[in-house]
Amino acid sequence: MIVATAITRDATMTDTAHRDGNVSAPGLPTLPRLSLNSPLALTGPVLVALPCLLAALLGMNTYAPYGADAAFGIAVGAAAVVAMAQTLILAARPPLVEPLFGGLDRMYRVHKWLGISAMVLMILHQQVEPDFERLVRETSLGDLGEEAGELAFNALLALVAVSWFRRLPFIGLEIPYQLWRFSHRFMGALIAIVVFHQFFVDMPAGVDPTFMLVLNTFGIAGVVAWIFTELLAPHLRRRDFTVSQIRQTGDTTTLTLTPRGRAMRWRPGQFAFVRAPEAGLSEPHPFTIASSPRPDGTLTFSIRALGGWTRSLPATLRTGTRVQVEGPYGRFDFRKGGARQIWLAGGIGITPFLAWAESLTEAERRDIHLVHCVRTQDEAIGLETLRAAVARNPRFSFEVIVTARDGRLTAERLISATPFAVRQADLWFCGPTGLKDGVLKGLKAQGQTPRRVRFEQFEFA
């Protein structure tokens, strides 16, 4: 869920918690975790792994007559090409594919690890490079393809390292988001060079064409996806809005946007990418939509100042400024949960819950208790929305915990404040990972582990 806690739009986002922040996304060298918010959550990862395995097996079988080293080198190289092509396809954010991963956050994690896996496979291909010099008739185009492959390999190695280690460990040095994103966009061009290498490098004649058909299909599909992402998607997917209201609460800026044309349709809990080129903020950043759908199509973003882009909003945006919104994305939906629910928000992680609370009607039959943890009272936003939800539906309740005054939220306090047994409820979370992990550890020790825990990853890169 990209709820601002979210995806790290300007800062690093880790779990659902980060999405709320409305931050920008840096890299995170940790293994991905999949919470099964959907029965399809593992379908996507399996579907992207199978073509890589198929390419490797076809390469191994096709070139087995030329020796084990040649077969292995071709197999890992083929798997690398297919993996790289799929990273470009996933980067295009195909809406029909997102549900197969359980949300865009998880799809981006698979995208990231596909890229890293492709890099490892390319290194293996370089180390065990097939030698067909005595078996092929060398051509100038083949020599060019081989040199192109070397160039692309070295450049991709550098870019993957930058993407993986955007925030350098131990020394705290962080590559600026704009520079990181600018360099990341070149990966598509480099992968296109790899596809050129694969097309034209000199290979033995007379081998089974099925293998090259698979590689060529994925290679072309990846390049087409990259061209779509860079040239067509910005014009086809973005909708024009106008800033109709700006409010400042502490370090949080709340924007109300009015559609200039056809309104966007979304579900409470989803997020969208926002950019304001008219104000010099041309880089798209993901934020959770902090309001439920309204008849006039207006939507609200509550964005906390967590980085350079978000800190500049109060000074650069004005009423009447045109902005562009792309979305919606995400599958964070409390209506997929049970009859008893706890909503736990940390800081700006409140944004998806504000949209949920606004959508509650008198007919809602779920018992819901919201806990919002903030450092100071000034950070508590959307209280009027929460109070209105309480007035509409007595089954909804909420409390705000100000840690500077009340201390940190503990499992014991959550248990005592919740009007129903925690172990019989679903826990929906958006906020800092430390808050989630600490509360869950305490609940487990108390024998009050929730039935299910739902959250979204917030680091996209």
Side-chain angles (χ1 to χ4, degrees), residues 9 17 23 51 121 126 148 156 158 196 206 220 236 268 277 284-285 345 355-356 408 461:
R9 304 108 126 110
V23 198
L121 292 168
Q126 286 288 108
L156 278 170
F196 175 85
I220 293 172
L236 298 177
H285 286 61
W356 288 358
R408 296 178 62 84

Side-chain angles (χ1 to χ4, degrees), residues 304-389:
R304 186 178 177 189
L306 296 175
W309 197 95
T310 51
R311 290 192 187 101
S312 67
L313 293 181
T316 55
L317 294 186
R318 296 287 184 271
T319 300
T321 300
R322 296 185 182 184
V323 299
Q324 295 177 331
V325 179
E326 178 192 334
Y329 297 101
R331 305 181 64 79
F332 201 55
D333 188 353
F334 79 95
R335 288 181 171 80
K336 298 177 182 178
R340 295 185 178 89
Q341 299 186 17
I342 300 169
W343 299 351
L344 177 56
I348 195 63
I350 190 64
T351 50
F353 302 121
L354 292 179
W356 288 358
E358 185 178 324
S359 72
L360 293 176
T361 66
E362 298 85 347
E364 178 59 58
R365 310 312 299 168
R366 294 175 179 84
D367 293 315
I368 300 170
H369 183 64
L370 165 66
V371 179
H372 184 198
C373 300
V374 293
R375 290 174 296 177
T376 65
Q377 187 64 47
D378 290 343
E379 293 185 5
I381 62 172
L383 296 181
E384 63 282 357
T385 299
L386 301 179
R387 294 186 184 115

Side-chain angles (χ1 to χ4, degrees), residues 58-355:
L58 282 175
M60 182 76 74
N61 182 66
T62 301
Y63 285 89
Y66 298 94
D69 287 349
F72 178 78
I74 291 292
V76 294
V81 169
V82 173
M84 285 187 288
Q86 291 186 98
T87 64
L88 297 180
I89 294 172
L90 296 186
R93 299 198 285 265
L96 296 179
V97 173
E98 179 189 346
L100 301 179
F101 294 83
L104 187 64
D105 57 325
R106 289 169 178 80
M107 190 170 83
Y108 267 13
R109 291 222 162 199
V110 173
H111 159 86
K112 173 181 176 177
W113 286 98
L114 263 177
I116 294 172
S117 299
M119 196 70 257
V120 172
L121 292 168
M122 285 183 68
I123 293 173
L124 289 175
H125 178 68
Q126 286 288 108
Q127 297 301 312
V128 192
E129 186 175 0
D131 183 7
F132 297 124
E133 290 186 3
R134 300 177 183 177
L135 303 173
V136 301
R137 180 181 179 183
E138 295 187 6
T139 64
S140 57
L141 193 59
D143 291 340
L144 179 61
E146 186 172 352
E147 293 175 2
E150 290 287 343
L151 170 66
F153 168 75
N154 293 317
L156 278 170
L157 186 62
L159 288 185
V160 170
V162 169
S163 179
W164 194 358
F165 296 108
R166 182 188 161 198
R167 180 175 289 103
L168 298 180
F170 307 117
I171 63 176
L173 179 64
E174 181 175 342
I175 298 172
Y177 173 72
Q178 290 77 8
L179 179 59
W180 169 85
R181 189 175 186 276
F182 180 75
S183 66
H184 203 67
R185 296 174 68 177
F186 279 103
M187 284 194 178
L190 293 174
I191 292 175
I193 295 176
V194 171
V195 173
F196 175 85
H197 162 80
Q198 161 227 312
F199 261 84
F200 296 109
V201 69
D202 294 319
M203 302 294 284
V207 296
D208 186 352
T210 303
F211 171 61
M212 292 307 299
L213 177 64
V214 170
L215 284 193
N216 293 343
T217 299
F218 275 95
I220 293 172
V223 173
V224 169
W226 173 63
I227 293 173
F228 172 81
T229 301
E230 295 298 324
L231 301 180
L232 299 179
H235 304 286
L236 298 177
R237 290 179 171 175
R238 291 170 182 166
R239 299 175 188 264
D240 292 328
F241 285 77
T242 299
V243 177
S244 55
Q245 186 181 49
I246 302 176
R247 287 181 294 149
Q248 195 70 25
T249 305
D251 61 356
T252 298
T253 302
T254 298
L255 304 176
T256 300
L257 307 182
T258 301
R260 295 179 58 85
R262 186 164 56 95
M264 187 176 75
R265 300 177 62 183
W266 75 94
R267 297 186 305 274
Q270 291 190 294
F271 66 93
F273 291 82
V274 179
R275 66 193 295 264
E278 187 177 281
L281 303 173
S282 58
E283 294 291 341
H285 286 61
F287 304 104
T288 297
I289 302 171
S291 58
S292 64
R294 300 165 180 168
D296 61 359
T298 60
L299 52 81
T300 299
F301 293 100
S302 291
I303 303 171
R304 186 178 177 189
L306 296 175
W309 197 95
T310 51
R311 290 192 187 101
S312 67
L313 293 181
T316 55
L317 294 186
R318 296 287 184 271
T319 300
T321 300
R322 296 185 182 184
V323 299
Q324 295 177 331
V325 179
E326 178 192 334
Y329 297 101
R331 305 181 64 79
F332 201 55
D333 188 353
F334 79 95
R335 288 181 171 80
K336 298 177 182 178
R340 295 185 178 89
Q341 299 186 17
I342 300 169
W343 299 351
L344 177 56
I348 195 63
I350 190 64
T351 50
F353 302 121
L354 292 179

